[in-house]
Amino acid sequence: MKTAAFIPIKANSERVPGKNFRVLNGKKLYEYIIEHALAAEVFDDIYIDTNSDEIKEYSINKGCNVIDRKEALARNTANGNDLLNYHYELYPDYSYYFQLFATAPYLQPKSIKKCAEVLLNSTVYDSCFTAVKHQGFFWLNDTPINYRPCILPRSQDMLAVVEETTGLYGMTKNALEHYRCRIGANPYIHYVSKFEAVDINTEEDLKIAEYIGKHYWGI
């Protein structure tokens, strides 16, 4: 029973130029998730999928394996499912496949380890992902989705809306073969703090992450 983690890290980014190389509280963004995946000590192998020579060198020095980013998968039209299926096709002999992202710099080793251990020891779950719960007043376009405006509940009594953090996903080999996506039919949802849920997609996200890391968590 072997596990593999795949971390895609592109050299290019349209919304935030050079995003994965930007310095966040003294460390380049791509360094965080690689270090945290290694520190979790739960994966047999870690693969870094990248088209950056700098990231390749860093990954090899850290003891990770490197996958040369396929050109078609470096485009913005490619998604996490495409990448995970490609990685499975390259390396079909693992029992569990995990996917982590550089845009989640504060996802902690203990959360990575917990997700993996639950999935590996479960006879119920076929996948896992990290998420946060929101108890607020949510709408989808012009329709409320978790309350009725005419009957206002206390916020603590509201039906929580669950948001994927897009930090970590895990699948059993059987589920990945069957569904060909990164979430199966019976996922374990691992809830993380808002700190761990930080997701870097815009310049504003970077500023918020810098502030949170420096002023609230002492990074």
Side-chain angles (χ1 to χ4, degrees):
M1 185 174 69
K2 293 185 68 178
T3 65
F6 296 87
I7 307 176
I9 312 176
K10 290 195 301 183
N12 56 306
S13 175
E14 284 192 1
R15 284 184 290 180
V16 184
K19 175 176 64 177
N20 291 319
F21 303 92
R22 300 285 283 273
V23 176
L24 175 63
N25 287 319
K27 186 183 296 186
K28 290 186 177 180
L29 187 62
Y30 73 79
E31 296 178 15
Y32 280 92
I33 196 64
I34 295 174
E35 291 183 1
H36 292 173
L38 288 165
E41 297 183 331
V42 75
F43 304 118
D44 292 298
D45 296 297
I46 297 174
Y47 295 85
I48 312 302
D49 183 320
T50 185
N51 52 356
S52 161
D53 290 337
E54 176 185 326
I55 295 173
K56 289 176 186 178
E57 182 179 0
Y58 178 87
S59 302
I60 291 170
N61 288 338
K62 286 289 185 179
C64 299
N65 304 291
V66 167
I67 299 172
D68 288 319
R69 173 60 64 92
K70 189 176 180 181
E71 184 177 350
L73 294 176
R75 300 169 186 158
N76 288 333
T77 52
N79 60 44
N81 288 340
D82 297 331
L83 283 161
L84 190 56
N85 282 308
Y86 175 64
H87 294 150
Y88 166 66
E89 290 164 4
L90 285 179
Y91 301 99
D93 297 327
Y94 292 98
S95 300
Y96 297 89
Y97 292 78
F98 290 82
Q99 188 178 65
L100 298 94
F101 292 92
T103 51
Y106 297 153
L107 182 62
Q108 297 298 296
K110 64 180 181 180
S111 289
I112 296 171
K113 185 177 180 69
K114 177 66 174 180
C115 284
E117 288 181 340
V118 169
L119 186 58
L120 268 60
N121 293 302
S122 176
T123 58
V124 176
Y125 301 121
D126 64 357
S127 53
C128 64
F129 62 89
T130 51
V132 287
K133 281 184 179 179
H134 299 283
Q135 286 183 285
F137 301 91
F138 288 92
W139 290 61
L140 179 61
N141 296 323
D142 58 354
T143 304
I145 61 174
N146 67 333
Y147 82 107
R148 289 184 292 166
C150 59
I151 305 176
L152 287 178
R154 299 186 305 166
S155 59
Q156 61 266 39
D157 295 331
M158 296 187 71
L159 179 66
V161 174
V162 176
E163 177 188 8
E164 298 172 31
T165 69
T166 66
L168 175 150
Y169 296 87
M171 291 281 286
T172 66
K173 177 178 181 177
N174 289 339
L176 183 54
E177 287 179 331
H178 182 77
Y179 297 108
R180 305 297 290 185
C181 67
R182 64 190 185 185
I183 298 178
N186 298 298
Y188 161 65
I189 304 175
H190 182 74
Y191 295 105
V192 298
S193 67
K194 290 183 179 179
F195 169 66
E196 288 190 80
V198 166
D199 186 37
I200 309 295
N201 288 299
T202 66
E203 291 284 354
E204 183 180 20
D205 291 337
L206 273 169
K207 292 177 182 177
I208 292 171
E210 182 85 21
Y211 186 86
I212 291 173
K214 185 181 297 181
H215 295 278
Y216 287 90
W217 292 88
I219 290 177

